[in-house]
Amino acid sequence: MATPEGFPASFYGEPGVLGMLANGISAFLVLLQNFNAAHTGKEANGVENILAGVHLILIGGICQLIAGLLSFRKYDHLSGTAFIGYAALWASYGATRIYFGASDNQTTNQTSNLSLSTDLMTNMSLNGSAEIPGGYYFLSIKESAIAGLIPYILLSFLLAFCSATVNYIMPFVFGAITATLIFEAVAIVASSWALVVSGVLELLILIFAIYGSAVLLLKGLTQRLALKGFGTPLFNVLLLGIGNSASAQSIGQEKKKNTKYAEPMALGFFCDSIAPFIFAFYSFGYMKSFGLGAAWVSIISFAQLFSSYYAHLRQDCYHTTKFGFHATYWLIKAWGEFVASTLIGNKSEVGSAREAMVGDWFFVVAGLILCVGSLNMDILELIHNMLFVLVTVSTVPQIPIEGYYIFFGVACALFTAVSIYGTFARLINSIAEKLLIPVGKQPVSTANMKKALKWGKSQQVGSEMVPHTDQASDVLFYLLNGVAALSAIHSKVSSMNPTFLHLTIPWVLISGAIIQAYVSRLQVTGGGRFGSVISSIYVGVWAIWTWFRFAGTLLQLSTGAAYAFTAGAIALLVINGFLMLIAAYKNLVLLLLTTVMEVALVCFLLSTLQRLPYRLEIAMLALVAIICVYGILATLVSGIFSERLIPMGPPLLKEVKKQETSPELPCPIASSRLTSGLLKIAGILEQGGVCGIPTDTVYALAASCKNPQAIEKIYNIKDRPAEKPICICISSVEQLVAAKPPFSPLLWEFMRNVYPGGISCIVKKGDWLFQLGVGPAYDRVGTRDSIMIRVPDHTVTGHLCNITGPLAITSANPSGEADSTHHSMVIDRLGHKIQGVLCDGDSNEVVASTVVNCLKIDEGEKQQLSAGGLWTFMAKTKELSEDLQLCIVAAHK
């Protein structure tokens, strides 16, 4: 059932079927080419390679990307990371096949020229003075492919290892992919025997993928595991625990995150392992041209944007910013090196032109700000950010060309090593949902961070909460506009240098237009009052700026074309005036930014008339960059701590709101002290509504078992993952007795001693539930084989269950947030999503019920109770027999 908030995870079926088949079919396509090449002795060339590449991009890339996106929505950390990672792999390998096919055509038409370039490539060194003739995009294809495959081999091995903690089908699929990548890399530089081995391994991938897809497909159709392979790991992930895992909750900022989506941190680190590894190979001279390398880095960078996007959906400002920031940097560097190595080629010219570029300094400053933000996270995040700052420093264009690439290569190698470890640590810790692989302690406590970052009078205000819509997307907005503005700075002399103009285009276009379009999308989903108006307009501003000021000079636009840009500049000036008005409703920093951009647009207008005041333009663009630095710091800190610590200035214009004498409640309410109130809520439940009700512990959301659709609504209301089942609530043990479930005497003894009370018992499902009155909701509550039962020690809840029959209940709080201990909390947090609240004042407890697993209560297993539920449990079990006390397995909810 769809709602404005989207679908619950259970509605996304089994995306693993699509992901597995995409891997299997992609491997089959490569297998056919490999076996044919081994059999005939002739490798595929020309159109064959191009067609194979297109199919790999469509099937292994796009189809598997969809599977990964759906897996993130299904709260599947491993599959989401693996499928998007492998989607990038197959898309990159498809691009490689296309390059091979295109280079074959180039070879046919220009054999002599290519022979000359091959000799030149052999004799030149990366930092030497030799030149690569412009336009040779197909040099170093094999070297680029190997540079891309090696990091995927390492990460694929990690994915295979991590998948062994979840099931025993994926390890074989991912392991076969790992081995295949090894022999594919060997086949690029060796003889046909590697193609045969690779073909055999690809056949194994196909077989394992078909079986795994069949298992998942049957699971989706039958809602049970009809075939073996999933549900049972090769080994328990908890065996990987190192050190004191109990400290997991004390590390980093423990914000309440939206748990509707899987954690994207492992994917972000995954992408941060691929791009710098390729750059390291290039910097050390293994690749002479970055033509194909730019394709590999671009694909993995766009994959990293998806990790930023899902961090945004989880309301995680820090990782949204970090991964979007990194993706922008890798894209700019990739296309900058593409231009330098394929269009220009002369290293001395490139080095001389780069000296006039200053855009990289903004990345250095922004990287330092991220380091400040990571002080509230863990040591791994801090080290990762510090090494990224080292990477940005290594690419400062003022470094002499002789040491530029060596410095960059070393920095990328160090960054890659930490990123690979981060991928493993984040993925294992996400799968286990606890700290097993060490990431270090929190460098600075949250309290000390807040104290250090509060400015001036904000110490007194301190409690101003900042909505999520003002967080992550705003940080990226300031970051991208700052990069574009600083990169666009140039003098009159540099504007006449074609090499400088070529190199500047990626810096302004990618940051100001391409990635800012992504930020516009974030602001649309954020739901702010003005949405993405400002960022969308600035996408056009920087695109037009790049086209006229940099590409236009290279294209030698006519006078008539220049006048067309004059008309466009006037239109942009008028539009930016309206943006200034919008900014006046938001904050002073944004208003100042749009005002300075107005002056910068005046300079752009004058440039179309050949009357550009260079000094004024340089001053305005530098001022835009400075304002953006402050905006990044203020919005990032606000996003991390969800309160305004660094002031952004008050809005100059404020919306006049009508004063209402009595605020309208978002949903109907009823008093638990009145019989009419109880009947009112019962009637809403009978009609398929979801209501907040009191229990003997904390407030709960309730839906009638007579209306399965209402139970589905609860997942949307709470943003609750489908993996977390919902329990049922009844009024007394006698209701269970009447249903005649096949419980053992030991279990009956336990239930009679703990019910009614704050205990939830997990028991086996059976046909007795239909007798109990659960019938229509049988498949909507509990798991496939078990169900959790509550008998609250609360008169109001008991009477309500007597009226309505069994209720499906779960705690009345957004998933991942604190429990509701007063009816006002339920109204404030969920009132706009539910159909009623039964008001009963303060709850009796501040924590939810204690869950007791009674599935093995007859097997004599003795396990320690969880600390959270120990007191409550002992209060209830003090009169139990000794045999029963030895059989209880409890875990605090």
Side-chain angles (χ1 to χ4, degrees):
M1 303 296 293
T3 72
E5 289 74 29
F7 291 98
S10 56
F11 289 147
Y12 291 104
E14 291 294 342
V17 176
L18 179 59
M20 289 281 199
L21 286 178
N23 276 311
I25 296 173
S26 299
F28 182 69
L29 290 172
V30 180
L31 174 154
L32 294 177
Q33 280 198 333
N34 288 345
F35 279 166
N36 181 68
H39 177 68
T40 63
K42 296 181 180 179
E43 294 186 3
N45 53 48
V47 176
E48 296 179 24
N49 267 324
I50 293 175
L51 289 177
V54 170
H55 281 85
L56 287 175
I57 292 174
L58 292 176
I59 299 174
I62 296 178
C63 290
Q64 193 162 196
L65 173 64
I66 294 172
L69 299 180
L70 294 179
S71 294
F72 269 111
R73 292 180 179 270
K74 196 174 170 61
Y75 200 70
D76 188 340
H77 310 291
L78 173 66
S79 296
T81 302
F83 290 150
I84 293 182
Y86 283 131
L89 166 64
W90 288 116
S92 300
Y93 203 57
T96 303
R97 293 283 181 172
I98 293 174
Y99 260 77
F100 272 121
S103 67
D104 290 336
N105 294 334
Q106 183 84 352
T107 301
T108 302
N109 297 328
Q110 300 180 4
T111 304
S112 58
N113 290 339
L114 190 57
S115 176
L116 176 61
S117 66
T118 303
D119 294 338
L120 179 62
M121 180 182 64
T122 304
N123 296 323
M124 68 176 284
S125 62
L126 180 66
N127 297 321
S129 59
E131 302 178 8
I132 301 176
Y136 283 91
Y137 308 104
F138 306 112
L139 299 180
S140 303
I141 296 181
K142 292 184 177 180
E143 293 82 356
S144 300
I146 293 173
L149 287 174
I150 292 176
Y152 276 109
I153 291 170
L154 299 175
L155 292 168
S156 182
F157 173 77
L158 289 183
L159 290 176
F161 180 81
C162 294
S163 64
T165 66
V166 178
N167 55 68
Y168 56 84
I169 291 297
M170 282 186 171
F172 289 102
V173 176
F174 298 164
I177 292 176
T178 304
T180 297
L181 295 179
I182 294 174
F183 287 99
E184 283 289 331
V186 173
I188 291 176
V189 296
S191 59
S192 60
W193 67 267
L195 292 176
V196 175
V197 177
S198 178
V200 172
L201 292 170
E202 285 152 359
L203 182 60
L204 292 178
I205 294 173
L206 178 62
I207 294 172
F208 292 141
I210 290 175
Y211 178 78
S213 300
V215 174
L216 291 176
L217 184 60
L218 288 175
K219 176 189 174 185
L221 294 175
T222 64
Q223 293 298 305
R224 56 186 294 270
L225 289 170
L227 298 174
K228 294 182 178 180
F230 287 86
T232 305
L234 285 178
F235 65 90
N236 193 328
V237 67
L238 298 179
L239 297 176
L240 298 175
I242 300 174
N244 183 17
S245 62
S247 63
Q249 296 301 318
S250 66
I251 291 181
Q253 56 144 353
E254 291 302 325
K255 287 175 52 178
K256 302 299 182 182
K257 297 277 192 297
N258 182 336
T259 55
K260 182 178 179 180
Y261 306 99
E263 295 178 359
M265 286 76 85
L267 176 61
F269 275 89
F270 183 104
C271 299
D272 271 335
S273 304
I274 303 294
F277 192 96
I278 297 173
F279 276 119
F281 262 57
Y282 174 71
S283 298
F284 291 138
Y286 183 71
M287 301 153 54
K288 307 305 179 184
S289 170
F290 209 70
L292 180 57
W296 281 73
V297 174
S298 297
I299 290 170
I300 199 64
S301 297
F302 281 110
Q304 193 165 33
L305 286 180
F306 285 109
S307 64
S308 171
Y309 178 70
Y310 277 102
H312 173 77
L313 294 181
R314 289 174 57 85
Q315 301 184 9
D316 183 348
C317 173
Y318 170 79
H319 286 104
T320 303
T321 303
K322 176 183 176 180
F323 296 141
F325 174 51
H326 288 191
T328 304
Y329 179 80
W330 299 130
L331 274 173
I332 290 175
K333 287 302 300 177
W335 289 100
E337 294 300 334
F338 172 84
V339 171
S341 63
T342 62
L343 297 181
I344 303 171
N346 189 307
K347 294 297 186 287
S348 60
E349 285 185 14
V350 170
S352 176
R354 277 177 173 165
E355 292 178 1
M357 299 174 64
V358 293
D360 191 85
W361 287 103
F362 197 91
F363 279 112
V364 176
V365 175
L368 291 172
I369 295 175
L370 268 182
C371 286
V372 173
S374 62
L375 290 173
N376 192 50
M377 306 296 172
D378 52 53
I379 295 296
L380 176 62
E381 281 294 333
L382 180 58
I383 293 175
H384 198 243
N385 284 329
M386 291 174 65
L387 287 176
F388 189 78
V389 171
L390 180 65
V391 171
T392 59
V393 170
S394 70
T395 55
V396 168
Q398 285 70 37
I399 297 176
I401 195 69
E402 292 77 13
Y404 179 94
Y405 286 103
I406 298 299
F407 189 7
F408 185 37
V410 172
C412 284
L414 293 173
F415 186 74
T416 299
V418 175
S419 297
I420 291 175
Y421 177 81
T423 304
F424 177 65
R426 297 302 187 202
L427 189 54
I428 288 294
N429 293 342
S430 295
I431 292 172
E433 296 191 343
K434 60 177 63 179
L435 184 66
L436 297 180
I437 307 301
V439 294
K441 296 182 179 180
Q442 183 180 6
V444 181
S445 68
T446 301
N448 288 338
M449 283 285 291
K450 287 185 177 182
K451 184 177 180 181
L453 292 171
K454 280 184 180 179
W455 287 20
K457 294 184 179 180
S458 63
Q459 287 274 20
Q460 301 172 2
V461 181
S463 60
E464 179 191 355
M465 301 305 292
V466 181
H468 174 62
T469 54
D470 290 337
Q471 297 175 11
S473 58
D474 284 357
V475 184
L476 287 174
F477 168 78
Y478 286 111
L479 191 152
L480 296 171
N481 282 287
V483 173
L486 202 61
S487 301
I489 291 178
H490 65 284
S491 65
K492 187 173 183 179
V493 175
S494 58
S495 66
M496 306 304 293
N497 185 346
T499 302
F500 172 85
L501 298 176
H502 274 114
L503 293 172
T504 304
I505 289 174
W507 284 83
V508 182
L509 185 64
I510 291 175
S511 59
I514 296 175
I515 305 299
Q516 191 156 203
Y518 159 71
V519 174
S520 299
R521 169 60 180 164
L522 296 187
Q523 292 182 334
V524 168
T525 59
R529 181 184 176 192
F530 297 107
S532 63
V533 175
I534 297 179
S535 58
S536 297
I537 296 300
Y538 282 177
V539 167
V541 168
W542 292 117
I544 294 171
W545 195 297
T546 305
W547 180 253
F548 180 76
R549 297 296 299 277
F550 303 111
T553 303
L554 296 170
L555 296 174
Q556 299 179 349
L557 295 176
S558 65
T559 303
Y563 286 146
F565 280 97
T566 301
I570 295 173
L572 289 176
L573 280 169
V574 175
I575 294 172
N576 194 72
F578 287 102
L579 298 186
M580 292 168 61
L581 182 63
I582 292 175
Y585 278 96
K586 300 195 76 172
N587 57 65
L588 196 57
V589 173
L590 186 59
L591 176 60
L592 184 58
L593 175 64
T594 53
T595 303
V596 176
M597 279 296 294
E598 185 78 358
V599 181
L601 286 171
V602 171
C603 295
F604 180 77
L605 172 62
L606 293 175
S607 71
T608 63
L609 301 173
Q610 304 300 319
R611 296 183 180 181
L612 172 62
Y614 279 95
R615 291 184 179 180
L616 177 61
E617 183 186 70
I618 291 172
M620 290 302 100
L621 292 176
L623 188 55
V624 168
I626 293 172
I627 295 170
C628 288
V629 168
Y630 182 86
I632 293 169
L633 179 61
T635 52
L636 179 63
V637 169
S638 299
I640 291 175
F641 298 104
S642 295
E643 67 179 273
R644 187 71 70 196
L645 299 176
I646 300 176
M648 293 286 285
L652 295 187
L653 300 177
K654 295 183 179 180
E655 181 182 5
V656 179
K657 296 182 179 180
K658 296 181 180 180
Q659 298 293 329
E660 298 180 1
T661 55
S662 56
E664 183 180 352
L665 292 174
C667 66
I669 62 172
S671 173
S672 64
R673 300 175 183 271
L674 302 176
T675 302
S676 59
L678 202 63
L679 294 174
K680 179 180 180 180
I681 296 299
I684 294 174
L685 292 172
E686 291 281 356
Q687 294 172 8
V690 176
C691 297
I693 64 171
T695 69
D696 54 345
T697 53
V698 295
Y699 275 81
L701 291 181
S704 173
C705 288
K706 300 173 184 177
N707 298 289
Q709 295 83 0
I711 300 175
E712 293 174 357
K713 292 179 184 177
I714 292 180
Y715 283 94
N716 274 332
I717 293 170
K718 281 176 59 85
D719 285 334
R720 183 180 178 89
E723 288 73 14
K724 296 183 178 181
I726 291 179
C727 70
I728 62 169
C729 171
I730 57 178
S731 61
S732 65
V733 178
E734 283 63 35
Q735 280 187 294
L736 274 178
V737 174
K740 298 180 180 180
F743 294 164
S744 67
L746 204 59
L747 180 54
W748 281 117
E749 179 192 351
F750 172 70
M751 286 185 169
R752 292 187 183 280
N753 278 275
V754 299
Y755 284 155
I759 299 291
S760 298
C761 294
I762 299 177
V763 298
K764 291 183 179 179
K765 265 187 171 181
D767 294 340
W768 56 273
L769 286 170
F770 294 94
Q771 184 67 28
L772 185 65
V774 176
Y778 185 88
D779 294 326
R780 302 299 200 283
V781 293
T783 66
R784 180 172 59 89
D785 302 314
S786 62
I787 192 169
M788 187 161 59
I789 300 176
R790 282 269 277 129
V791 183
D793 190 9
H794 197 276
T795 303
V796 172
T797 312
H799 283 313
L800 184 62
C801 289
N802 282 332
I803 298 172
T804 63
L807 296 174
I809 66 170
T810 181
S811 56
N813 58 288
S815 189
E817 297 189 12
D819 296 315
S820 298
T821 55
H822 193 276
H823 62 256
S824 62
M825 294 179 66
V826 182
I827 296 171
D828 292 341
R829 300 158 88 186
L830 301 173
H832 60 293
K833 296 182 178 181
I834 59 180
Q835 286 69 55
V837 176
L838 185 59
C839 302
D840 194 53
D842 291 320
S843 61
N844 296 330
E845 303 286 346
V846 294
V847 293
S849 63
T850 298
V851 180
V852 180
N853 186 347
C854 299
L855 294 175
K856 298 182 179 180
I857 200 168
D858 295 319
E859 298 180 10
E861 294 184 2
K862 179 181 179 181
Q863 299 185 18
Q864 188 177 6
L865 297 175
S866 65
L870 182 58
W871 187 90
T872 303
F873 180 73
M874 290 304 295
K876 287 289 184 180
T877 58
K878 59 186 179 181
E879 298 179 357
L880 298 183
S881 66
E882 181 178 355
D883 290 340
L884 181 57
Q885 293 188 42
L886 294 178
C887 296
I888 304 302
V889 180
H892 186 56
K893 184 176 180 181

